Amino acid sequence: STVLVYVKPSIILSKQVIVALFSINTFKYQVHMKSLPADMISRNNFSMWGVLKKCIGMELSKIAMPVVFNEPLSFLQRLSEYMEHTHLIHKACSMSDSIDRMQVVAAFAVSAVASQWERTGKPFNPLLGETFELTREDEGYRLISEQVSHHPPISAFHAQSLKQEFEFHGSIYPKLKFWGKSMEAEPKGTMTLELIKHKEVYTWTNPMCCVHNIILGKLWLEQYGAVEIINHSTGDKCVLNFKPCGMFGKELHKVEGCILDKSKKKRRVIYGKWTECMYSVEPKVYDAFRKSEKKSGGDAKKPKQEQQSCEGDDADEMPDVQETVTVIPGSALLWRITPRPTHSAQMYNFTSFAMTLNELEPGAERLLAPTDSRLRPDIRAMENGDIDLSSREKERLEEKQRAARRERSKDEEEWTPRWFHQGSSPHTGAEDWLYSGGYFDRNYSHCPDIY
């Protein structure tokens, strides 16, 4: 972008002042990346079967996967995509009614998994001690994440408002299992959102995710399972049901649930699709609409092409998807997904937000911790379209990690995370990884050499 600076002819500015002016304006009006350096690497000539045929029913965290099935982001960066719809947290902070806040927090919980739609590439496993920071002054927050454990693989993150309005944190232990035609991911771990102004704390877990047609056919994924969001300060609860596709695929991507106050009274019904939008409506209005729908035979007749099962002989055919939600009169829109760029399919199906996560501004290396994901050579090589270099670098980094583990074992040293520590959640009592603080003081002298 071009920045114009008007200077009166009578004023002479030094070179240093002019550079400073341009630096300030460039930072203020920074335009984020809208594309990756190279298109997505083709996977047509590679077979997953050779890797996975001995892994049916097994947990996959220790299985080395070919780099070609990855996307050029670390799992730590993928975690930061929870923050794409931070505007919903700001909206919740501005509301005076706790039920209104709950429904917006529920929309945020759904939006956190929306970026996974059509993202069938696997993120790079973070190296032990790897970190990723993200500061978005335009959205009013900063985030730090760290790989705190390798076996089992655990990633911890902590985001905080720049104006002390909220904190959002958690740790994820992704358990992956291969079931022959599909791969199931269970994101074990609890999300915690604190709205500081309202002195409220919300917790929830993410739904299950299944990637279909790992071996044969077109890859597609679904989210399913119950998600319970608890407001520990008021006793309000929101139960969301991420529906599996069902026999004829009519439930694919659907999310439905309700908000209950502390006396178990139903206060709102939430409905929509995690791939598109979420609405809120009064329970009486919702029930009346569903009754009238049944009377008119709403779902009785379906177009012939939708009468197909998610189970096929050779591949799990993805049901036809109608990417619109039937809006019940009187409903309020809570959230709508941000449209993806037109070239997203050639860019690993990244959202506009995901495309910015490897940005490395001039001089940023002097500020970042040496363990930041942006500095990983295997991810950078893949982003640049060099699959061979990416594969070699991935092997080198993994061997370096194994060698460091052998050295610690020889010296009987335990690994200690730099920015997080293990403790108990004061809200749920469950074991969690909590931010120790200090990352943004920029003292990285004790960071490990992992690259």
Side-chain angles (χ1 to χ4, degrees), residues 301-369:
K301 295 180 181 179
K302 286 288 174 186
K304 189 174 182 181
Q305 66 267 23
E306 288 193 15
Q307 298 289 336
Q308 55 184 330
S309 167
C310 284
E311 290 298 324
D313 292 334
D314 299 314
D316 293 335
E317 294 300 326
M318 181 176 178
D320 290 340
V321 178
Q322 185 185 0
E323 284 305 331
T324 52
V325 171
T326 302
V327 182
I328 300 170
S331 298
L333 178 67
L334 299 176
W335 161 78
R336 186 176 295 282
I337 196 169
T338 304
R340 297 193 182 184
T342 53
H343 57 293
S344 176
Q346 289 79 49
M347 302 280 165
Y348 302 89
N349 289 310
F350 278 7
T351 63
S352 297
F353 183 86
M355 287 189 196
T356 69
L357 296 177
N358 262 336
E359 283 181 339
L360 201 54
E361 294 299 312
E365 292 183 44
R366 296 195 301 271
L367 287 176
L368 291 174

Side-chain angles (χ1 to χ4, degrees), residues 84-88 91 103-104 106-115 255 271-280 332-338:
E84 181 171 355
H85 300 279
T86 304
H87 65 91
L88 292 171
K91 185 176 180 180
Q103 64 183 13
V104 176
F108 175 73
V110 174
S111 78
V113 300
S115 68
V255 182
Y271 69 95
K273 289 183 178 181
W274 62 267
T275 54
E276 186 180 355
C277 56
M278 294 299 295
Y279 286 88
S280 166
L333 178 67
L334 299 176
W335 161 78
R336 186 176 295 282
I337 196 169
T338 304

